[in-house]
Amino acid sequence: MTSLEFTSQVQKISSSLRPVAMNLTRDADDAKDLVQETLLKALLNKDKFKAGTNLKAWLYTIMRNTFINNYNKITKRSSNIDSTEYFQYFNTDENYITHNGATTDFVVRDINEAIASLGSDYRTPFMMYYIGYKYLEIAEKLQIPIGTVKNRIHIARKDLKAALQVYAPAGADRAGVVALDEPEQD
């Protein structure tokens, strides 16, 4: 396929890209930008298109991937949280608004004790996840596999749930929590 034929076919299909872009972005200006970026990437990478395959599907794939990459960039920018500020104020009661200060003191103390009772291998990834780090960011910072990060966070949540089950609402499903002092049944 020549460059002229490729460009001509892309121009014919470009009008069908706009509704899809609008559906993805929900904004007319962003949709126009997405279509334009898609067409630019298609024209720059025309050598990667295999003649005889579906050009429309290829363009939709470029558009979808572009949208996802842009979305991930935006959410990554907004998810950077300075953890030092969080840890500085974590144990202070003055940051909690409540109607009953005594109850809050007990709850906060119990939560802090439960978190402190976790081993550091579990506590560190859990706290990083809690303050907003993504699994991949935690894995990179701690230099451990992402599967290990997910497992440690899961175990920490399970242990905290068991340690704090006294605060579960009445009638809540506690089937997933095994009491620590009860023997397992066969």
Side-chain angles (χ1 to χ4, degrees):
M1 176 182 300
T2 66
S3 292
L4 188 59
E5 290 172 337
F6 181 81
T7 304
S8 173
Q9 287 186 6
V10 168
Q11 283 178 335
K12 288 178 188 174
I13 297 173
S14 68
S15 61
S16 68
L17 296 175
R18 287 183 182 88
V20 177
M22 186 63 183
N23 196 19
L24 287 171
T25 63
R26 308 277 189 218
D27 181 71
D29 291 332
D30 289 341
K32 287 178 187 176
D33 291 343
L34 181 58
V35 169
Q36 188 175 23
E37 191 172 350
T38 301
L39 295 175
L40 177 65
K41 285 181 178 182
L43 293 173
L44 291 174
N45 294 294
K46 65 184 169 205
D47 57 312
K48 294 179 183 175
F49 176 72
K50 295 176 185 167
T53 59
N54 189 342
L55 179 62
K56 193 174 191 178
W58 189 67
L59 291 171
Y60 284 149
T61 301
I62 293 172
M63 179 184 293
R64 184 196 53 176
N65 290 343
T66 302
F67 173 76
I68 290 169
N69 289 340
N70 289 341
Y71 177 81
N72 286 339
K73 284 179 191 173
I74 290 169
T75 56
K76 182 138 178 126
R77 270 190 231 131
S78 63
S79 69
N80 290 338
I81 299 173
D82 182 13
S83 60
T84 56
E85 184 176 319
Y86 171 77
F87 287 121
Q88 179 180 358
Y89 297 109
F90 182 68
N91 291 325
T92 61
D93 292 336
E94 62 205 31
N95 294 323
Y96 297 96
I97 299 172
T98 184
H99 299 287
N100 184 345
T103 302
T104 301
D105 289 344
F106 288 122
V107 173
V108 170
R109 187 191 71 227
D110 289 349
I111 291 171
N112 287 336
E113 286 175 0
I115 291 172
S117 72
L118 294 172
S120 66
D121 286 346
Y122 299 102
R123 183 176 53 248
T124 302
F126 173 79
M127 290 307 296
M128 290 176 76
Y129 181 78
Y130 177 76
I131 62 174
Y133 282 93
K134 307 284 186 231
Y135 289 129
L136 189 58
E137 294 171 326
I138 297 168
E140 289 171 358
K141 284 197 179 272
L142 299 180
Q143 298 177 343
I144 56 177
I146 193 166
T148 303
V149 169
K150 290 178 181 181
N151 187 44
R152 288 180 182 178
I153 291 171
H154 171 75
I155 290 171
R157 290 180 69 188
K158 185 176 155 189
D159 290 351
L160 290 173
K161 187 175 179 182
L164 299 170
Q165 76 181 27
V166 68
Y167 295 108
D173 179 24
R174 295 183 185 178
V177 179
V178 177
L180 299 176
D181 55 351
E182 293 180 13
E184 280 190 334
Q185 298 179 6
D186 295 320

